[in-house]
């Protein structure tokens, strides 16, 4: 992988060790099998921390072609204020949702998802100053800029990866490299992240969970000690080379 230029280039130690392993051909990913299967970050960003905007990004790999499947959620999908990323069967889309129940505003952003058994990078941005949101797939705009005029409101305690805490409707497949940045990353940086490049000039993410491990035992040992707790996640070996393994 190429580390693009910055004043203080740094790599996550786990990520550095994984890339240095010559036997590392693929990625161990979590199968978020229902019911009650999820990862919960120890750090849950607050609305105040994201008041100027944010970028949420991750890699996913799923063949679950039916239902509503939550990639990341802290509300937004149903009757709660917040935001979420989901995949939807039938139409084959990945969707970003924002909702403020006090103002009765809700927006949906849909981008086509191929279900091709490969890893895909998904990013969602919220710009508080411009009052707009956007969804990216594999580093390219998946939607037009979408107006969202309401204040960003959510309950930090509801943040889950792989499930909606109040509604269930979990995700089956791999989710890795979950990052929440307290700023709007530009399109160039998002594209580099989608290609597996790591930067330190994008400031520091509030949430930074690679969720990639050399083997299942290492994944189980990391649970509870590496910034997350996992509930009923089946750590399985992926069959496809991950972009971060380049």
């Amino acid at each position: 992988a190429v580390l693009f230029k910055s004043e203080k280039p740094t790599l996550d130690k786990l990520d550095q060790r994984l890339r240095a392993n010559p036997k590392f051909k693929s990625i161990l990913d979590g199968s978020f099998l229902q019911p009650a299967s999820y990862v919960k970050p120890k750090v849950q960003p607050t609305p105040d921390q994201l008041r100027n905007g944010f970028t949420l990004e991750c890699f996913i790999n799923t063949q679950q072609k039916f239902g509503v499947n939550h990639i990341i959620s802290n509300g937004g999908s149903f009757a709660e204020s917040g935001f979420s990323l989901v995949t939807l069967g039938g139409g084959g889309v990945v969707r970003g949702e924002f909702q403020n129940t006090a103002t009765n505003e809700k927006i949906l952003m849909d981008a086509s998802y191929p279900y091709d058994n490969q890893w895909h990078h998904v990013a969602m941005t919220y710009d508080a100053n411009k009052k707009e949101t956007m969804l990216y797939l594999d580093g390219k705009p998946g939607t037009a800029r979408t107006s969202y005029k309401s204040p960003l409101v959510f309950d930090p305690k509801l943040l889950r990866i792989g499930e909606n805490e109040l509604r269930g409707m979990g995700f089956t497949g791999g989710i890795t490299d979950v990052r929440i940045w307290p700023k709007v990353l530009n399109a160039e940086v998002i594209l580099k992240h989608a290609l597996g490049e790591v930067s330190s000039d994008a400031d520091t993410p509030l949430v930074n969970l690679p969720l990639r491990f050399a083997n299942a035992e290492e994944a189980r040992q990391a649970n509870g000690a590496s910034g997350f707790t996992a509930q009923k996640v089946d750590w399985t070996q992926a069959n496809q080379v991950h972009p971060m393994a380049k």
Side-chain angles (χ1 to χ4, degrees):
V2 177
L3 177 68
F4 57 90
K5 295 180 180 179
S6 65
E7 292 182 3
K8 297 180 180 179
T10 58
L11 285 173
D12 179 87
K13 290 183 179 180
L14 171 62
D15 187 66
Q16 199 170 27
R17 179 163 59 84
L18 283 173
R19 292 174 188 244
N21 183 354
K23 297 181 180 180
F24 183 60
K25 300 293 185 182
S26 60
I27 284 287
L28 199 84
D29 68 271
S31 292
F32 293 77
L33 302 175
Q34 300 181 60
S37 176
Y38 60 87
V39 165
K40 192 171 188 69
K42 287 185 178 179
V43 175
Q44 292 128 35
T46 66
D48 185 63
Q49 288 176 307
L50 304 182
R51 66 185 182 278
N52 295 323
F54 70 86
T55 301
L56 166 63
E57 63 176 344
C58 61
F59 286 98
I60 64 171
N61 187 340
T62 182
Q63 289 298 107
Q64 189 173 354
K65 299 179 181 179
F66 56 91
V68 178
N69 314 297
H70 288 85
I71 305 166
I72 300 169
S73 174
N74 65 4
S77 295
F78 293 93
E80 298 81 33
S81 294
F83 57 87
S84 64
L85 269 177
V86 305
T87 57
L88 298 175
V93 301
V94 57
R95 169 177 290 176
E97 304 187 5
F98 285 82
Q99 179 166 237
N100 184 316
T101 58
T103 63
N104 200 32
E105 182 178 14
K106 178 168 183 161
I107 63 168
L108 309 176
M109 299 178 290
D110 288 355
S112 178
Y113 186 80
Y115 292 105
D116 57 0
N117 209 31
Q118 300 297 316
W119 288 97
H120 294 278
H121 183 267
V122 181
M124 182 169 69
T125 61
Y126 163 69
D127 190 322
N129 293 325
K130 296 181 179 179
K131 299 185 182 301
E132 62 186 23
T133 66
M134 195 165 181
L135 195 63
Y136 294 79
L137 184 67
D138 293 327
K140 300 177 182 179
T143 65
R145 299 184 187 279
T146 303
S147 174
Y148 184 67
K149 298 179 180 179
S150 299
L152 185 67
V153 177
F154 60 88
D155 183 348
K157 296 179 181 178
L158 297 181
L159 180 62
R160 283 189 178 182
I161 300 167
E163 193 200 38
N164 181 308
E165 181 167 340
L166 299 177
R167 307 290 173 169
M169 299 184 179
F171 185 88
T172 297
I175 305 175
T176 73
D177 299 276
V178 178
R179 297 186 180 91
I180 300 178
W181 306 82
K183 62 182 294 185
V184 180
L185 299 184
N186 63 45
E188 181 181 1
V189 171
I190 290 174
L191 177 58
K192 288 180 177 180
H193 290 184
L195 296 174
E197 300 180 13
V198 181
S199 70
S200 63
D201 58 353
D203 294 331
T204 302
L206 297 174
V207 174
N208 185 12
L209 297 179
L211 300 179
R212 293 178 277 110
F213 305 93
N215 53 65
E217 181 58 30
E218 185 176 291
R220 287 190 288 267
Q221 290 176 355
N223 182 18
S226 295
F228 70 91
T229 55
Q231 176 71 24
K232 296 184 180 179
V233 172
D234 181 21
W235 299 102
T236 56
Q237 191 74 34
N239 295 319
Q240 300 79 29
V241 174
H242 192 285
M244 296 296 287
K246 293 179 180 179

